[in-house]
Coordinates of all heavy atoms in Angstrom, one line a residue:
R143 N 19.2 -3.9 -14.6 CA 19.3 -3.2 -13.3 C 17.9 -2.4 -13.0 O 17.5 -2.5 -11.9 CB 20.4 -2.2 -13.3 CG 21.8 -2.8 -13.1 CD 22.8 -1.7 -13.0 NE 24.2 -2.3 -13.0 CZ 25.3 -1.5 -13.1 NH1 25.2 -0.2 -13.3 NH2 26.5 -2.1 -13.2
E144 N 17.5 -1.8 -14.1 CA 16.2 -1.1 -13.9 C 15.1 -2.0 -13.5 O 14.2 -1.8 -12.7 CB 15.9 -0.3 -15.2 CG 14.6 0.5 -15.1 CD 14.9 1.7 -14.1 OE1 16.0 2.2 -13.9 OE2 13.8 2.1 -13.5
R145 N 15.0 -3.2 -14.2 CA 14.0 -4.2 -13.9 C 14.1 -4.7 -12.4 O 13.1 -4.8 -11.8 CB 14.1 -5.4 -14.9 CG 13.2 -5.2 -16.1 CD 13.2 -6.5 -16.9 NE 14.0 -6.2 -18.1 CZ 15.0 -7.0 -18.6 NH1 15.2 -8.1 -18.0 NH2 15.7 -6.7 -19.7
R146 N 15.3 -5.0 -12.1 CA 15.5 -5.4 -10.6 C 15.1 -4.4 -9.7 O 14.5 -4.6 -8.6 CB 17.0 -5.8 -10.4 CG 17.3 -7.1 -11.1 CD 18.7 -7.5 -10.8 NE 19.2 -8.7 -11.5 CZ 20.3 -9.1 -11.7 NH1 21.4 -8.4 -11.1 NH2 20.6 -10.2 -12.4
L147 N 15.5 -3.1 -9.9 CA 15.1 -2.0 -9.0 C 13.6 -1.8 -9.0 O 13.0 -1.6 -7.9 CB 15.8 -0.7 -9.5 CG 15.6 0.5 -8.6 CD1 16.1 0.3 -7.2 CD2 16.2 1.8 -9.3
H148 N 12.9 -1.9 -10.1 CA 11.5 -1.8 -10.2 C 10.8 -3.0 -9.4 O 9.9 -2.7 -8.7 CB 11.1 -1.8 -11.6 CG 9.6 -1.5 -11.8 ND1 9.1 -0.3 -11.5 CD2 8.6 -2.2 -12.3 CE1 7.8 -0.3 -11.7 NE2 7.5 -1.5 -12.2
A149 N 11.3 -4.2 -9.5 CA 10.8 -5.3 -8.8 C 11.0 -5.1 -7.3 O 10.1 -5.5 -6.5 CB 11.4 -6.6 -9.3
K150 N 12.2 -4.7 -7.0 CA 12.4 -4.4 -5.5 C 11.4 -3.3 -4.9 O 11.0 -3.5 -3.8 CB 13.9 -3.9 -5.4 CG 14.3 -3.9 -3.9 CD 15.7 -3.4 -3.8 CE 16.7 -4.5 -3.6 NZ 18.0 -4.0 -3.4
R151 N 11.2 -2.3 -5.7 CA 10.3 -1.2 -5.2 C 8.8 -1.8 -5.1 O 8.2 -1.5 -4.1 CB 10.2 0.0 -6.2 CG 11.5 0.8 -6.1 CD 11.3 1.9 -7.1 NE 12.6 2.7 -7.2 CZ 12.9 3.5 -8.2 NH1 12.1 3.6 -9.1 NH2 14.1 4.1 -8.2
N152 N 8.4 -2.6 -6.1 CA 7.1 -3.2 -6.0 C 7.0 -4.1 -4.8 O 5.9 -4.2 -4.1 CB 6.8 -4.0 -7.3 CG 6.4 -3.1 -8.5 OD1 6.1 -1.9 -8.2 ND2 6.5 -3.6 -9.6
L153 N 8.0 -4.9 -4.6 CA 8.0 -5.8 -3.3 C 7.9 -4.9 -2.1 O 7.1 -5.3 -1.2 CB 9.2 -6.6 -3.3 CG 9.3 -7.7 -2.2 CD1 8.2 -8.7 -2.4 CD2 10.6 -8.4 -2.3
A154 N 8.7 -3.9 -2.0 CA 8.6 -3.1 -0.7 C 7.3 -2.4 -0.6 O 6.7 -2.3 0.5 CB 9.7 -2.0 -0.8
R155 N 6.7 -1.9 -1.7 CA 5.4 -1.3 -1.8 C 4.3 -2.3 -1.3 O 3.4 -1.9 -0.6 CB 5.0 -0.7 -3.1 CG 3.9 0.3 -3.1 CD 3.6 0.8 -4.4 NE 4.8 1.5 -5.0 CZ 5.1 1.4 -6.3 NH1 4.4 0.8 -7.1 NH2 6.3 2.1 -6.7
S156 N 4.4 -3.5 -1.8 CA 3.4 -4.5 -1.4 C 3.5 -5.0 0.0 O 2.5 -5.3 0.7 CB 3.4 -5.7 -2.4 OG 4.6 -6.4 -2.2
A157 N 4.7 -4.9 0.5 CA 5.0 -5.4 1.9 C 4.6 -4.3 2.9 O 4.4 -4.6 4.1 CB 6.4 -5.8 2.1
A158 N 4.5 -3.0 2.5 CA 4.3 -2.0 3.4 C 2.8 -2.0 3.9 O 1.9 -2.3 3.1 CB 4.6 -0.6 2.8
F159 N 2.5 -1.6 5.1 CA 1.2 -1.5 5.7 C 0.7 0.0 5.5 O 1.3 0.9 6.1 CB 1.1 -1.8 7.2 CG 1.3 -3.3 7.4 CD1 2.5 -3.9 7.6 CD2 0.1 -4.0 7.5 CE1 2.6 -5.3 7.8 CE2 0.2 -5.4 7.8 CZ 1.4 -6.0 7.9
D160 N -0.2 0.2 4.7 CA -0.8 1.6 4.6 C -1.9 1.7 5.6 O -2.4 0.7 6.2 CB -1.2 2.0 3.2 CG -2.2 1.0 2.7 OD1 -2.4 0.0 3.2 OD2 -2.8 1.4 1.7
R161 N -2.4 2.9 5.8 CA -3.4 3.2 6.8 C -4.8 2.4 6.6 O -5.4 1.8 7.5 CB -3.7 4.6 6.9 CG -4.3 5.1 8.2 CD -4.3 6.6 8.2 NE -3.0 7.1 8.4 CZ -2.7 8.1 9.2 NH1 -3.7 8.8 9.8 NH2 -1.4 8.5 9.4
G162 N -5.2 2.4 5.4 CA -6.4 1.7 5.0 C -6.4 0.2 5.3 O -7.3 -0.4 5.8
Y163 N -5.2 -0.4 4.9 CA -5.1 -1.8 5.2 C -5.0 -2.1 6.7 O -5.6 -3.1 7.2 CB -3.8 -2.3 4.5 CG -3.6 -3.8 4.7 CD1 -4.4 -4.7 4.1 CD2 -2.6 -4.3 5.5 CE1 -4.2 -6.1 4.3 CE2 -2.3 -5.7 5.7 CZ -3.2 -6.6 5.1 OH -3.0 -7.9 5.3
L164 N -4.4 -1.2 7.4 CA -4.4 -1.4 8.9 C -5.7 -1.3 9.6 O -6.1 -2.1 10.4 CB -3.4 -0.3 9.5 CG -3.0 -0.5 11.0 CD1 -2.3 -1.8 11.2 CD2 -2.1 0.7 11.4
V165 N -6.6 -0.4 9.0 CA -7.9 -0.2 9.5 C -8.8 -1.5 9.2 O -9.5 -2.0 10.1 CB -8.6 1.1 9.0 CG1 -10.1 1.1 9.3 CG2 -8.0 2.3 9.6
Y166 N -8.6 -1.9 8.0 CA -9.3 -3.2 7.5 C -8.9 -4.3 8.4 O -9.7 -5.1 8.9 CB -9.0 -3.4 6.1 CG -9.5 -4.8 5.6 CD1 -10.8 -5.0 5.4 CD2 -8.6 -5.8 5.4 CE1 -11.2 -6.3 5.0 CE2 -8.9 -7.0 5.0 CZ -10.3 -7.3 4.7 OH -10.7 -8.5 4.3

């Protein structure tokens, strides 16, 4: 469960647009 939750968080973090990426 912990591995799945960690993978889900990493996927959500990589999919999110942060400000620097948006400027780039």
Side-chain angles (χ1 to χ4, degrees):
R143 282 185 191 169
E144 186 65 31
R145 269 189 252 132
R146 287 182 185 166
L147 182 63
H148 189 63
K150 190 184 260 188
R151 284 182 190 160
N152 284 342
L153 184 63
R155 191 178 305 141
S156 67
F159 285 89
D160 59 343
R161 201 173 286 221
Y163 182 70
L164 190 60
V165 168
Y166 169 74

